Amino acid sequence: MYETADADPEAFWAAEAQRLDWIRPWDRVLDWDPPFARWFVGGRINASVNCLDRHAKGPRRNRAAIVWEGEPGDRRVLTYHDLWREVGRMGNALRGLGVRKGDRVTIYMPMIPELPAAMLACARIGAVHSVIFGGFSARAIRDRMEDAESRILVTADAGYRRGNVLPLKRIADEAVAGLDLVEHVVVYRRAGVDVAMSEGRDHWWHELAAAADSRCEPEPMEATDPLFILYTSGTTGAPKGIQHSTGGYLVGVAATTRLVFDLRDDDLYWCTADCGWVTGHSYIVYGPLANGASVFMYEGAPDWPAPDRWWRMVEDYGTTVLYTAPTAIRAFMRSGDEHPKKHDLSSLRLLGTVGEPINPEAWRWYHRTIGGGRCPIVDTWWQTETGMILITPLPGVTTTKPGSATRPFPGVAAEVVDDRGRPVPVNTGGYLVITKPWPAMLQTIFRDPERYKDVYWSKVPGKYFTGDGARVDEDAYFWLMGRIDDVINVAGHRIGTMEVESALVSHAAVAEAAVVGKPHPLKGQSLVAYVVLKAGGTQSEGLTKDLQKHVREVIGAIAVPDEVYITSKLPKTRSGKIMRRVIRALVSGQEIGDTTTLEDPGAVDEVRKWLAEVEGDPPR
Ligand code: WTA
């Protein structure tokens, strides 16, 4: 397969595309007008039909599409027929609210089956969904809705997390207050808590569904029409709306799900991500359902009410494939072997990881304690932008090395290059780039093609710049070394340091801020903020707490710095740029590499002195 795909990637992807149901066949597999790729040009397809109808109309009709457990312990199973019906009803309901092909629908929901249902209902009628992770704040929702010009919000009254009731509707209300753009809010009743319903604007999901027909004519989409946008952090203050296509994206995620997870008819497949992130889009919803898989979904916290929650569920449901993040594995490792050991995990046959490099120690623990030494591990490298897994072992095919994502998927071409774009020698660090287009690649940044060109295609001309550092070993295996830009991976979540800085600076007391990442035993990285106050501002214990609270309000809990230091100045280059790279390196305890690009070679010593002063300063 590797050889065939290498010899003719387009033919390889066309063969994968043949496995899907097309309304009209494509004329050309790929139009490549760098850096804009159009896959399956002329083809028409509907993603919800591929994820639902073709299973609901065949022998998989009564097979479980989603097996779900809520955090309080409630259980539901939706067959393909059930999910098809619910999606049809919501598709019709959204059409009834005036949603048309190309309109953006924002979804802000807990991890309940209605979240994939809402996504698929959009796909059915050609609306472009923009899912926002339930941990984001009202401000974050508002900014994203404004950027996407989204007139509709789908949410729930509340969700459960670690025994608490998260008031999603209340946060949603705050997000849309005074936002004239917003015409309708659809509310699913999950927790039965009291919520304010605004007459004319707000609608109960169950009332809309009860009034709607389950047969919903699917919109015939051009393969190149957008399926969704998903906001992700970059190196500037504003998150980018990553836009994905319908046909190419679906081909890419369907093929990788089938091959990387070696899907079988008797699998119960569990990807522990949240649908608010790309992993949930590609490997809970579109990839698995396009393959007719049975997907397990869990609403709440991994350690609630006890640290064996996940393992109890694996035993109860007979999960066969488990796909999770290294940060979760490290947390379980720390909480002790006795929790997984209480349960029979022998149903598991394949394990996966995603989101950050996995340290070999965690890899071995996962292999031994969770996989019983019997399950292959697929360490899958990819990004929101790539849409699909690009570097990964194939189970049963690739000999793994703990800590390496191994080789590019068939048909994918990756390289590690220096800052002039030249391939680096074996075992030398450099920038990871992708050298050929792939079907699930992002189309553009929503309404900002210039930024798309600049961010991904200008650093190394003609090649897709991932923002990750990597090296390739003597066996041509890829070893990922983390981000090389101002993006930090905290517990598998991508956080832009500039975003956190602009959140801090929006606080009335703050003049300037610098945020860097620092190694953290569980989260991989944690955020450290250095803050300069406006004239007259005074530091206090209360102020640092207030700054953390402020970041939580502006972005969300995931972006709150663990450490906040107040300082009288930030170290800068002569041209006035904050020396983030030097601060980051020193805070991480790394040795400083090449400082010749710094305008002031004395900078390292200066920052070292500065750090000693700042971190010696109480209060923290
Ligand atoms: C990192 C998540 C090492 C990487 C799917 C990438 C990884 C960023 C791996 C994308 C892996 C993801 N090994 N690093 N297997 N998988 N990453 O957009 O830095 O949330 O650029 O997509 O996560 O994060 P994103």
Side-chain angles (χ1 to χ4, degrees):
M1 195 186 292
Y2 281 109
E3 282 163 16
T4 338
D6 256 1
D8 190 350
E10 287 183 29
F12 172 79
W13 292 119
E16 288 301 324
Q18 295 288 6
R19 293 174 168 270
L20 300 179
D21 282 0
W22 293 79
I23 299 163
R24 180 188 186 279
W26 57 90
D27 302 316
R28 280 184 312 286
V29 176
L30 173 65
D31 255 4
W32 180 220
D33 178 14
F36 296 96
R38 297 170 72 234
W39 283 87
F40 305 106
V41 185
R44 288 210 193 103
I45 190 167
N46 183 285
S48 84
V49 168
N50 276 279
C51 291
L52 300 172
D53 303 47
R54 63 186 185 133
H55 313 308
K57 283 180 185 152
R60 289 195 163 112
R61 177 188 179 83
N62 294 314
R63 185 180 181 185
I66 298 178
V67 178
W68 175 85
E69 191 169 295
E71 196 185 71
D74 39 344
R75 300 176 173 206
R76 289 167 64 194
V77 177
L78 278 81
T79 63
Y80 270 95
H81 180 72
D82 294 333
L83 189 60
W84 170 85
R85 242 182 12 207
E86 192 61 10
V87 166
R89 286 184 181 136
M90 275 330 280
N92 283 325
L94 290 174
R95 273 193 183 135
L97 296 176
V99 179
R100 295 291 173 266
K101 179 179 170 182
D103 290 350
R104 275 80 52 208
V105 173
T106 302
I107 301 176
Y108 182 66
M109 293 181 95
M111 277 290 285
I112 55 178
E114 285 68 22
L115 170 48
M119 295 162 73
L120 290 164
C122 290
R124 188 150 199 100
I125 65 170
V128 176
H129 58 70
S130 163
V131 183
I132 301 177
F133 172 60
F136 277 115
S137 69
R139 266 283 289 282
I141 304 171
R142 188 188 184 88
D143 292 348
R144 286 160 176 75
M145 287 191 80
E146 280 187 308
D147 186 78
E149 291 179 25
S150 170
R151 296 179 291 121
I152 313 276
L153 175 64
V154 182
T155 187
D157 56 348
Y160 292 96
R161 183 86 191 175
R162 200 160 274 121
N164 299 312
V165 177
L166 281 181
L168 296 179
K169 173 67 162 68
R170 210 169 74 207
I171 299 168
D173 282 340
E174 199 187 321
V176 302
L179 202 58
D180 291 339
L181 167 85
V182 177
E183 291 168 10
H184 298 287
V185 178
V186 177
V187 189
Y188 181 80
R189 184 178 277 152
R190 157 67 184 126
V193 299
D194 276 345
V195 295
M197 294 292 277
S198 159
E199 185 68 35
R201 186 197 70 185
D202 296 355
H203 315 267
W204 285 111
W205 173 299
H206 59 266
E207 288 175 6
L208 293 176
D213 191 346
S214 54
R215 281 178 308 270
C216 175
E217 198 49 45
E219 194 73 37
M221 303 297 284
E222 294 296 327
T224 52
D225 280 334
L227 177 62
F228 65 86
I229 52 181
L230 180 58
Y231 285 88
T232 191
S233 296
T235 53
T236 69
K240 309 170 281 196
I242 303 300
Q243 179 180 318
H244 279 288
S245 73
T246 305
Y249 172 79
L250 203 62
V251 170
V253 298
T256 46
T257 307
R258 192 179 96 256
L259 292 166
V260 174
F261 301 106
D262 186 23
L263 279 189
R264 299 173 190 189
D265 269 342
D266 57 356
D267 273 329
L268 181 65
Y269 162 97
W270 182 16
C271 164
T272 68
D274 191 288
C275 288
W277 308 108
V278 76
T279 307
H281 283 61
S282 300
Y283 297 106
I284 294 177
V285 183
Y286 291 108
L289 297 181
N291 280 287
S294 294
V295 173
F296 181 70
M297 213 176 142
Y298 167 59
E299 177 185 35
D303 53 355
W304 186 264
D308 70 337
R309 178 66 185 259
W310 277 19
W311 318 122
R312 197 272 288 152
M313 292 191 297
V314 167
E315 177 173 10
D316 276 5
Y317 294 91
T319 313
T320 58
V321 178
L322 178 68
Y323 186 34
T324 192
T327 186
I329 298 168
R330 287 191 299 266
F332 285 122
M333 232 172 119
R334 171 165 296 196
S335 66
D337 287 15
E338 64 273 25
H339 304 294
K341 291 250 155 77
K342 263 185 251 163
H343 298 281
D344 177 4
L345 306 181
S346 61
S347 59
L348 289 171
R349 64 166 186 83
L350 180 67
L351 304 174
T353 70
V354 58
E356 52 181 313
I358 179 162
N359 45 312
E361 195 198 353
W363 195 103
R364 291 204 177 85
W365 183 86
Y366 193 33
H367 187 253
R368 189 179 58 239
T369 311
I370 304 305
R374 118 195 128 254
C375 308
I377 296 182
V378 288
D379 175 353
T380 63
W381 178 90
W382 60 294
Q383 310 177 300
T384 304
E385 292 87 341
T386 70
M388 64 187 241
I389 294 169
L390 290 189
I391 304 182
T392 179
L394 294 182
V397 174
T398 317
T399 303
T400 52
K401 299 187 191 186
S404 167
T406 76
R407 300 176 56 181
F409 188 81
V412 173
E415 252 175 25
V416 177
V417 301
D418 64 16
D419 45 15
R420 295 218 201 127
R422 295 168 307 199
V424 297
V426 163
N427 281 322
T428 309
Y431 305 133
L432 177 68
V433 295
I434 311 296
T435 59
K436 276 189 208 142
W438 64 98
M441 69 191 275
L442 74 165
Q443 294 185 294
T444 183
I445 293 176
F446 186 65
R447 290 198 179 151
D448 202 348
E450 286 311 312
R451 192 172 167 204
Y452 163 73
K453 286 190 207 164
D454 179 53
V455 174
Y456 303 109
W457 299 92
S458 68
K459 307 256 186 332
V460 182
K463 294 173 182 174
Y464 169 81
F465 185 77
T466 64
D468 274 25
R471 70 179 165 88
V472 178
D473 75 10
E474 55 287 352
D475 298 321
Y477 277 41
F478 285 71
W479 296 79
L480 279 303
M481 294 166 25
R483 303 287 306 196
I484 41 109
D485 52 10
D486 290 320
V487 173
I488 295 176
N489 211 320
V490 181
H493 301 321
R494 232 168 110 166
I495 313 280
T497 49
M498 295 275 279
E499 249 176 276
V500 184
E501 286 166 9
S502 56
L504 285 166
V505 173
S506 71
H507 186 278
V510 176
E512 270 191 310
V515 172
V516 296
K518 172 178 172 179
H520 185 279
L522 291 184
K523 298 194 256 187
Q525 297 247 282
S526 67
L527 298 172
V528 184
Y530 298 94
V531 171
V532 177
L533 299 181
K534 282 185 185 154
T538 45
Q539 67 183 78
S540 64
E541 178 80 35
L543 181 60
T544 48
K545 289 258 154 53
D546 197 46
L547 292 176
Q548 287 169 321
K549 184 167 150 262
H550 184 70
V551 175
R552 174 166 308 151
E553 280 163 11
V554 176
I555 308 177
I558 53 168
V560 176
D562 282 355
E563 297 167 61
V564 178
Y565 298 103
I566 311 277
T567 170
S568 56
K569 66 169 185 1
L570 292 173
K572 292 184 183 170
T573 59
R574 263 182 268 141
S575 63
K577 290 205 186 84
I578 299 170
M579 293 190 282
R580 265 191 212 85
R581 192 164 73 91
V582 186
I583 305 175
R584 183 169 62 208
L586 289 174
V587 165
S588 315
Q590 284 165 15
E591 251 335 286
I592 310 296
D594 181 15
T595 52
T596 50
T597 53
L598 292 172
E599 293 180 30
D600 177 4
V604 177
D605 290 334
E606 200 187 304
V607 176
R608 206 172 257 138
K609 226 175 78 218
W610 170 80
L611 274 173
E613 271 169 34
V614 178
E615 302 195 358
D617 264 6
R620 298 207 163 174

